[in-house]
Amino acid sequence: QVQLVESGGGLVQAGGSLRLSCAASGRTFSSYKMGWFRQAPGKERDFVAAIKWNSYSTYYADSVKGRFTISRDNVKNTLYLQMNSLESVDTAVYYCAAGSAYSSWTQYDYWGQGTQVTVSS
């Protein structure tokens, strides 16, 4: 079992930045690939970004490439999402997730409770 708790969400103006964090506890954090997803009101949950257990590979949705950066600190058991040049379309609840290193980029087993990001135009 892995427990995940997101933080860092809030209200920001368009063009601004936020950094989300996801603190993990439970089984060995460093053995999991980690990802960020988001869900806007009335829409399905969408993949945002993912990172391998050793940080050697990252993967991004086209909509956030060049603006968002995913990273992790396996000593602190924490996942991050740096979000720059935010747009109103980025408004959503953001979730972190943990999954087996052997499954696909978009398959995850454990989820956090989410943190709200609101971008005002």
Side-chain angles (χ1 to χ4, degrees):
Q1 284 283 353
V2 176
Q3 291 78 43
L4 304 171
V5 179
E6 303 94 337
S7 62
L11 175 64
V12 63
Q13 287 190 332
S17 299
L18 277 177
R19 187 175 83 154
L20 304 183
S21 299
C22 174
S25 61
R27 296 187 66 179
T28 308
F29 172 77
S30 61
S31 67
Y32 289 92
K33 72 172 185 287
M34 299 294 296
W36 287 99
F37 287 73
R38 66 187 181 185
Q39 187 167 20
K43 296 189 176 182
E44 294 187 351
R45 187 162 56 188
D46 290 329
F47 170 80
V48 174
I51 187 168
K52 272 194 172 181
W53 67 273
N54 56 10
S55 301
Y56 284 176
S57 294
T58 56
Y59 182 51
Y60 294 92
D62 288 343
S63 59
V64 305
K65 278 181 184 176
R67 300 188 299 123
F68 291 10
T69 302
I70 189 172
S71 62
R72 66 190 295 166
D73 185 331
N74 286 346
V75 174
K76 295 182 178 179
N77 286 357
T78 304
L79 175 73
Y80 303 99
L81 184 68
Q82 178 66 43
M83 306 186 294
N84 298 329
S85 302
L86 283 161
E87 305 167 357
S88 56
V89 294
D90 297 316
T91 294
V93 177
Y94 283 72
Y95 299 90
C96 74
S100 167
Y102 303 102
S103 61
S104 74
W105 281 115
T106 54
Q107 284 186 295
Y108 294 84
D109 305 301
Y110 304 102
W111 296 85
Q113 84 290 347
T115 186
Q116 176 71 47
V117 171
T118 303
V119 183
S120 64
S121 56

